[in-house]
Amino acid sequence: MINLSFGGAGDCTQAFQDAIDEVTAAGAVLVAAAGNSEGHAAGIPSNCTGVIGVGGLRHAGTKVGFSDLGLNVAISAPAGNCVNVDPGSACLYPILTTSNSGSEMPVGPIYTDSFNVSLGTSFAAPLVTATVALMLSAQPSLTPYQARLLLQKTARPFPTTGGDNGDGTAVPQCFVPHLDAQGNPIDQDQCYCNVNTCGAGMLD
């Protein structure tokens, strides 16, 4: 099991793909964050063949505004969202986890909370990684391909109602990422996922 909570924009390079092919051939399952560039195409390495790309969801099961998406996303999981953005207000739906208080080097262990928040697909991916680790503990012979299929077969369907933008506007359907007339990626904030944009469903 290898969790890849990092990434960058662009297509999967041959160098990345070669490394991933070597690792998966050895039997390792790779899980990667889709990225956080506001609904653009899932970035490298989540868009490489053989990687389980993970998108981010809000508390309501809709795509969280910052999460990237697209056909390379295999499944989606909670990524945290704050809803209330007034200065000094508590984040309502953070991912609570362990962290370190150092900004450039380890200083001391801490827990994140509603004021020291953890948000992003980098926090959604480890939820999937941990799930696969549990699957492997029960069935160590699972191949990376089989692990992916099991995740997707057991995923919970995305909701089609319940989203709220907080300003009275309707939550739209997500669309496959594409470019505007000037060649720039089109932003997508909260939207209702489908299997072409956020993977097979919600991690379950």
Side-chain angles (χ1 to χ4, degrees), residues 40-118:
H40 300 174
I44 189 171
S46 70
N47 58 10
C48 294
T49 301
V51 176
I52 298 173
V54 181
L57 300 174
R58 287 166 57 95
H59 63 289
T62 49
K63 185 194 83 72
V64 66
F66 53 73
S67 177
D68 291 332
L69 70 170
L71 295 171
N72 295 114
V73 175
I75 196 165
S76 290
N81 64 290
C82 289
V83 180
N84 53 339
V85 293
D86 295 328
S89 59
C91 179
L92 294 185
Y93 303 101
I95 299 293
L96 302 179
T97 185
T98 56
S99 187
N100 193 283
S101 59
S103 59
E104 296 181 3
M105 60 173 28
V107 174
I110 59 170
Y111 289 100
T112 60
D113 57 30
S114 294
F115 294 94
N116 178 28
V117 299
S118 295

Side-chain angles (χ1 to χ4, degrees), residues 7-196:
D11 296 330
C12 182
T13 65
Q14 190 60 53
F16 256 106
Q17 191 61 62
D18 288 346
I20 285 163
D21 290 345
E22 186 173 343
V23 172
T24 54
V29 180
L30 291 102
V31 177
N36 307 309
S37 54
E38 203 171 351
H40 300 174
I44 189 171
S46 70
N47 58 10
C48 294
T49 301
V51 176
I52 298 173
V54 181
L57 300 174
R58 287 166 57 95
H59 63 289
T62 49
K63 185 194 83 72
V64 66
F66 53 73
S67 177
D68 291 332
L69 70 170
L71 295 171
N72 295 114
V73 175
I75 196 165
S76 290
N81 64 290
C82 289
V83 180
N84 53 339
V85 293
D86 295 328
S89 59
C91 179
L92 294 185
Y93 303 101
I95 299 293
L96 302 179
T97 185
T98 56
S99 187
N100 193 283
S101 59
S103 59
E104 296 181 3
M105 60 173 28
V107 174
I110 59 170
Y111 289 100
T112 60
D113 57 30
S114 294
F115 294 94
N116 178 28
V117 299
S118 295
L119 304 169
T121 57
S122 287
F123 295 94
L127 298 175
V128 175
T129 303
T131 302
V132 176
L134 289 171
M135 292 161 54
L136 290 170
S137 72
Q139 194 170 342
S141 62
L142 283 177
T143 66
Y145 177 71
Q146 290 170 327
R148 179 192 185 103
L149 282 184
L150 279 172
L151 277 175
Q152 294 181 312
K153 282 180 62 176
T154 58
R156 188 177 301 187
F158 294 116
T160 56
T161 60
D164 181 3
N165 283 328
D167 59 3
T169 60
V171 175
Q173 292 291 322
C174 301
F175 55 81
V176 175
H178 59 276
L179 308 178
D180 64 18
Q182 288 72 45
N184 301 310
I186 297 174
D187 292 346
Q188 294 188 71
D189 292 319
Q190 178 183 200
C191 54
Y192 288 112
C193 289
N194 58 64
V195 296
N196 293 317

